[in-house]
Amino acid sequence: MRPADVRPNYPRSARSGFRRWVPSWRQSLTLLLVCAAGLTAFVTYSYIRTDIPEHLNSFATQQDNVYYWSDGSELARSGWVNRQEMPLAKIPGPVRQAVLAAENANFYSDPGVSVTGMGRAVLRMATGGDTQGGSTITQQYVKNAYLDQDQTVGRKFDELLLAVKVDNRLSKDKILEGYLNTSWFGRGTYGIQRASQAYYGKEVGQLNVSEAAFLASLLKGASLYDPAISPKTHKRAVDRWNWILDRMVTTGALTPAERATYKVFPEPKAPPRTSSASGQPGYLADLAKTYFQKSAHISDAAFDLGGYEIHTTFDKPRTKALAKSVEAVREDFDPHHRDTDRFARTGAASVAPDGRILAVYGGPDFATQGFNESNSITIPAGSSFTPFVYAAALRDGVLRARGRPRTPVSPETVYNGDDNIPVQTPEGPYWDRNGKVVKGQNDGGRSWGQISLHDAMVHSVNSPFMQLGTDVGYDRVSRAAKDAGLLTSSFGPRVPAFSLGNSTPSALRMAGAYGTFAAGGVHTEPYSVARATRNGDALRLDPPDRERVFSTTVSSQVTDALRGALREQSPAAGPGLGASVAGKIGTTEDHTAGWFTGYDAGAATAVVVYRMDLKDLKPLPLTGVGGDAHADLTYPFRIWSDYLKSVATKQP
């Protein structure tokens, strides 16, 4: 017996013409079932083989870091993406409900995908139409977090499979949180927190229902609904805002009575100007970043992930005033036509007695010169260092003979103020390594005879302080300078010139050290960050070290001498600055740097003017800068006094 013929009867033998090629209903049903089984097998296989990526894409993880002035306004930001994560628990219910009403009302009950929506999206792509829409919140989150933004059938298929897996693996709250933190809201922002700040200048937790409804409208396309773009987008934004509020009534998020209270469109603020780390803000942000990472124990890798909001101590009016004072002086500099003006640099810093760094002038522009001139430790302090010698003597006394007790010192203690007198040790004159006796030399070669230490400070007489430093002991002078706030890494060799400033502190450190005298002898390490948060959570910062290092008597004695020095060295300063202001000019023997450091009750400010080629970091003479033969005396004081007068009525 012949085996049965199992071949399909196709073309159909019992038919003729074109009807032979028309399948029977049984054949059509069989083909449909085979295709369905094949498609089911393919989808099942693809689903099994599809894994949720271990890592989110860069836009889903990257956040920016934002720095704020002390008044809370934005100072600068860093990072590739303007985004900050916010836990769902800190996003108010009305904000979430507005988003759900606008985008996916059935979010908490759907399986993570919309088959009909996907069908419409694929059809639009196939016909070249608009590719937006057709997705649930889960699908949109998958697109934001795991996939690229290509609009292709293949990517849509991947989106569908991933959405189902993500919906099965993550809670709905977790998906909604991720969606709200990764979505694009326009104005350079990703995530609801940054959007809230960009459009309304407030934290997301402070949004009301009306504002939330507007922000939810941006999810459909920020360029279509930002009212600041054009009158057309404004009208479109108002219409969609009204629609979303009506939808919130439909979903039960609002009652009709509550909806009726929202009649006026919540106009967002004007788009902010782009903030970047250039100009002076760049130097400030860089200082704050360094301090913050150390104080909060944040690694570079962790910091680069972003999401930090860093509230600095920098005072905007003071910073602007300091920059204005520096730039006014630098108008005299003409490096293109005067060789002596080439490489002229200025660093300045203002520090409150409690350690807050209020203002810094770091250079012409951080974007073009990252070298911070206010934080440079390459410039000798010169005679600006002598107050620390004086404070060490007042605190620790002197030792003039080996084996004898130390002798107390007071402002009335008399020293030889003559020019060119040898520096004495208990064993005799001090000999340098070249076999020469070291001698104290005064400005202009002037001899003052016997002079009190107070008057020697007032008149900036060098020879008494060279001898005083030797009598106190260089180790004790070093300790006093360190206690005041200078870094030991900036200290020069412990030789007689140490007392006259062979050390190279920065302007920032010099201001902080003089601020110790302004604080009555209590030193607080300068700090630039008052508080910080990440994703809405406060971070713990190590408090700045604070310690009493000089008695109030010693501090007041130093301050009294420096008040006299200010009146003596710059008599014109008095009328505009007040009797309580203290300060001192600082010059170096080779005229490579000029300083002025002074303080009042509000802040201590140090200004240094110098010349240096950054290629070799070698100090160059200041003589003739700006056409002034005494540039080291003139320019630092001009900057300091102009700045102090401009902020005299402002609180730090």
Side-chain angles (χ1 to χ4, degrees):
M1 187 175 180
R2 294 178 59 189
D5 190 350
V6 296
R7 290 179 301 172
N9 182 23
Y10 189 84
R12 299 167 67 186
S13 58
R15 297 287 188 270
S16 61
F18 77 92
R19 297 181 63 187
R20 296 182 64 233
W21 302 96
V22 177
S24 68
W25 69 268
R26 292 187 181 86
Q27 291 174 331
S28 298
L29 179 60
T30 301
L31 179 62
L32 181 62
L33 292 175
V34 169
C35 290
L39 180 61
T40 301
F42 173 73
V43 171
T44 302
Y45 175 78
S46 298
Y47 179 81
I48 294 172
R49 295 282 297 175
T50 298
D51 292 322
I52 298 176
E54 293 183 6
H55 304 289
L56 305 182
N57 64 37
S58 60
F59 281 103
T61 57
Q62 183 70 46
Q63 303 179 66
D64 64 339
N65 298 309
V66 184
Y67 303 85
Y68 298 93
W69 294 99
S70 60
D71 65 3
S73 59
E74 185 176 313
L75 165 65
R77 63 174 66 237
S78 64
W80 297 104
V81 177
N82 183 4
R83 189 176 72 83
Q84 182 195 14
E85 289 188 4
M86 186 59 60
L88 190 65
K90 294 188 177 183
I91 300 175
V95 176
R96 288 179 266 165
Q97 291 159 357
V99 170
L100 293 175
E103 294 294 303
N104 189 178
N106 299 321
F107 168 71
Y108 278 95
S109 60
D110 68 30
V113 298
S114 170
V115 177
T116 57
M118 284 290 292
R120 289 194 302 270
V122 170
L123 180 61
R124 281 195 294 269
M125 285 187 291
T127 58
D130 180 19
T131 60
Q132 289 189 347
S135 297
T136 65
I137 281 178
T138 304
Q139 289 173 257
Q140 293 179 61
Y141 170 62
V142 165
K143 179 179 66 176
N144 293 341
Y146 300 110
L147 303 175
D148 57 37
Q149 303 301 306
D150 292 339
Q151 296 288 347
T152 64
V153 174
R155 198 204 59 76
K156 279 289 184 181
F157 184 66
D158 292 339
E159 176 188 305
L160 179 70
L161 296 179
L162 270 176
V164 174
K165 278 214 165 183
V166 166
D167 190 76
N168 289 333
R169 181 172 299 181
L170 301 181
S171 69
K172 288 289 189 177
D173 281 351
K174 201 66 180 176
I175 294 170
L176 182 60
E177 177 184 292
Y179 173 67
L180 290 173
N181 282 311
T182 58
S183 293
W184 170 250
F185 284 87
R187 296 193 181 183
T189 63
Y190 285 86
I192 191 70
Q193 167 71 349
R194 283 288 183 261
S196 177
Q197 294 169 335
Y199 287 92
Y200 291 109
K202 59 176 67 173
E203 302 292 300
V204 65
Q206 299 172 318
L207 292 173
N208 60 38
V209 173
S210 182
E211 294 163 340
F214 164 70
L215 292 182
S217 72
L218 297 170
L219 292 166
K220 186 61 68 177
S223 62
L224 298 175
Y225 297 100
D226 185 343
I229 295 177
S230 69
K232 183 179 293 186
T233 58
H234 188 282
K235 182 181 183 305
R236 194 181 292 133
V238 173
D239 290 343
R240 185 156 179 82
W241 168 76
N242 274 308
W243 180 84
I244 290 174
L245 289 173
D246 291 341
R247 281 284 295 165
M248 293 180 72
V249 174
T250 302
T251 62
L254 291 177
T255 66
E258 290 172 331
R259 165 64 181 96
T261 62
Y262 300 110
K263 299 178 180 179
V264 179
F265 179 68
E267 295 287 351
K269 66 179 186 176
R273 292 179 298 174
T274 300
S275 176
S276 62
S278 61
Q280 294 309 305
Y283 297 108
L284 301 178
D286 190 57
L287 283 174
K289 173 180 181 290
T290 300
Y291 178 85
F292 168 68
Q293 286 191 244
K294 180 179 179 181
S295 180
H297 307 282
I298 303 295
S299 67
D300 288 339
F303 187 83
D304 287 343
L305 290 176
Y308 297 100
E309 292 193 308
I310 301 168
H311 296 263
T312 75
T313 62
F314 302 127
D315 182 271
K316 186 190 295 186
R318 280 182 174 270
T319 300
K320 290 184 176 180
L322 185 58
K324 184 177 180 181
S325 297
V326 172
E327 290 160 3
V329 162
R330 291 188 64 87
E331 288 180 357
D332 294 342
F333 301 170
D334 188 3
H336 299 294
H337 299 92
R338 190 185 296 124
D339 286 344
T340 54
D341 290 1
R342 295 182 64 206
F343 310 121
R345 307 189 183 281
T346 308
S350 196
V351 179
D354 61 7
R356 288 173 296 128
I357 302 175
L358 302 176
V360 159
Y361 181 87
D365 190 335
F366 186 78
T368 58
Q369 178 193 293
F371 178 78
N372 188 336
E373 295 170 6
S374 73
N375 208 25
S376 168
I377 54 171
T378 57
I379 306 303
S383 53
S384 288
F385 189 84
T386 54
F388 308 119
V389 182
Y390 188 35
L394 294 171
R395 183 179 72 176
D396 299 338
V398 297
L399 181 64
R400 295 196 177 98
R402 305 296 183 197
R404 300 281 185 88
R406 300 185 71 85
T407 303
V409 168
S410 74
E412 290 72 36
T413 300
V414 174
Y415 267 70
N416 190 339
D418 286 342
D419 182 57
N420 209 36
I421 59 170
V423 175
Q424 298 291 328
T425 71
E427 290 77 25
Y430 189 102
W431 298 80
D432 66 16
R433 292 184 177 181
N434 296 321
K436 295 181 179 180
V437 174
V438 177
K439 298 179 180 181
Q441 296 179 335
N442 297 327
D443 291 341
R446 180 176 177 179
S447 291
W448 293 79
Q450 296 297 303
I451 187 172
S452 70
L453 291 177
H454 173 274
D455 289 347
M457 180 64 69
V458 168
H459 298 288
S460 196
V461 185
N462 291 336
S463 55
F465 286 101
M466 286 192 73
Q467 184 61 57
L468 182 64
T470 304
D471 292 347
V472 173
Y474 304 131
D475 58 337
R476 290 177 180 262
V477 173
S478 300
R479 190 179 311 142
K482 178 179 179 295
D483 289 345
L486 300 189
L487 299 177
T488 56
S489 58
S490 69
F491 288 165
R494 272 63 160 183
V495 296
F498 184 69
S499 300
L500 294 184
N502 65 10
S503 299
T504 57
S506 67
L508 183 54
R509 280 287 167 177
M510 188 68 85
Y514 271 61
T516 299
F517 301 128
V522 176
H523 172 65
T524 304
E525 274 291 288
Y527 65 100
S528 55
V529 178
R531 61 186 180 88
T533 63
R534 187 170 194 270
N535 301 336
D537 295 324
L539 300 176
R540 183 186 180 280
L541 304 178
D542 291 338
D545 293 335
R546 187 174 186 271
E547 181 183 5
R548 172 167 292 283
V549 295
F550 302 117
S551 67
T552 55
T553 299
V554 167
S555 295
S556 64
Q557 289 170 338
V558 174
T559 296
D560 183 58
L562 292 179
R563 285 174 180 162
L566 177 60
R567 292 191 296 270
E568 175 68 21
Q569 298 166 17
S570 308
L577 299 177
S580 65
V581 180
K584 190 178 187 316
I585 287 174
T587 57
T588 59
E589 184 179 1
D590 53 6
H591 300 285
T592 56
W595 291 79
F596 197 95
T597 311
Y599 54 91
D600 59 10
T605 303
V607 178
V608 59
V609 178
Y610 61 102
R611 287 181 66 220
M612 177 178 289
D613 186 344
L614 296 182
K615 292 180 180 179
D616 55 20
L617 298 180
K618 181 180 180 181
L620 302 170
L622 271 177
T623 306
V625 168
D628 190 337
H630 304 288
D632 54 341
L633 296 171
T634 305
Y635 289 127
F637 176 72
R638 273 182 55 187
I639 293 170
W640 181 85
S641 61
D642 288 349
Y643 163 69
L644 205 63
K645 289 174 184 177
S646 69
V647 299
T649 60
K650 297 182 176 66
Q651 295 296 319

